[in-house]
Amino acid sequence: MAFIDEITILIKAGNGGDGVVRWLHTKETELGGPSGGNGGRGGNVYVKTLRDVHLLSRYRTKQEFAAENGKPGEAKNLYGANGKDLELLLPVGSLVTNTKTGEKFALNEEGERILLLSGGFGGRGNKSFQSSKNRSPDKATLGKPGQDAIFFVEVELIANIGLIGLPNAGKTSLLNELTA
């Protein structure tokens, strides 16, 4: 397994589900009115840190990730299901840079969980537009798109070295030659 210390990945949060226009039709009620539910929220994208410097190697072959989209609303005022969140695992010491905004996240502690991208809000169904003046709304809104971005991830490794030897044995000269 090759050690990878930097990678570029494309990540997309889930889109919100659409609201729907539906009408209540039952045996008991002749004019049931609007019953369209709201759409579900799109899934968010999180990163979580673990103490494993080889975690970036799993992103070598697959570099595009997306959270689940929200489901559309349904009849009888049923809301659509929310999309599942996506959690990416990164090693401790990673520096994550959003290439669109330039925003940087330093992941320095194990178990740290940071929200990278937010999912889109669900659209409104026709039931949510009902009011005392508008008893039969015939409109619904679409779900909002989730955020997307390209992220550059690099692992910063630090090594401590100690040289032990007699005075004037050339420790400083050796160190200067090795590090240029």
Side-chain angles (χ1 to χ4, degrees), residues 56-175:
L56 284 187
S57 63
R58 68 169 60 173
Y59 304 123
R60 184 178 54 178
T61 55
K62 182 181 179 189
Q63 296 177 344
E64 293 183 12
F65 298 93
E68 190 177 74
N69 294 332
K71 304 290 186 249
E74 297 180 22
K76 298 184 183 175
N77 301 325
L78 295 177
Y79 283 45
N82 293 335
K84 291 183 182 174
D85 294 337
L86 174 67
E87 186 174 82
L88 299 173
L89 300 176
L90 294 177
V92 174
S94 296
L95 181 66
V96 181
T97 306
N98 185 336
T99 58
K100 275 187 176 179
T101 63
E103 188 176 12
K104 295 185 180 200
F105 303 96
L107 307 172
N108 296 324
E109 296 180 23
E110 185 174 10
E112 194 172 0
R113 190 170 190 242
I114 294 177
L115 174 69
L116 282 185
L117 299 172
S118 297
F121 291 106
R124 295 173 56 192
N126 67 334
K127 177 67 176 176
S128 66
F129 290 105
Q130 186 178 20
S131 67
S132 61
K133 292 187 179 192
N134 187 5
R135 313 240 331 133
S136 301
D138 196 19
K139 71 175 184 175
T141 60
L142 299 176
K144 304 289 184 214
Q147 297 176 331
D148 65 334
I150 298 173
F151 288 93
F152 180 69
V153 181
E154 58 184 326
V155 179
E156 297 178 344
L157 300 174
I158 299 173
N160 294 325
I161 298 175
L163 295 175
I164 301 173
L166 297 171
N168 296 329
K171 297 182 294 290
T172 304
S173 300
L174 175 67
L175 188 61

Side-chain angles (χ1 to χ4, degrees), residues 3-36:
F3 177 72
I4 296 175
D5 63 344
E6 61 183 30
I7 197 161
T8 302
I9 53 178
L10 171 69
I11 305 173
K12 181 168 184 353
N15 296 331
D18 297 336
V20 294
V21 175
R22 297 288 186 269
W23 302 99
L24 185 61
H25 297 289
T26 60
K27 245 188 329 187
E28 297 83 25
T29 58
E30 187 176 322
L31 300 172
S35 71

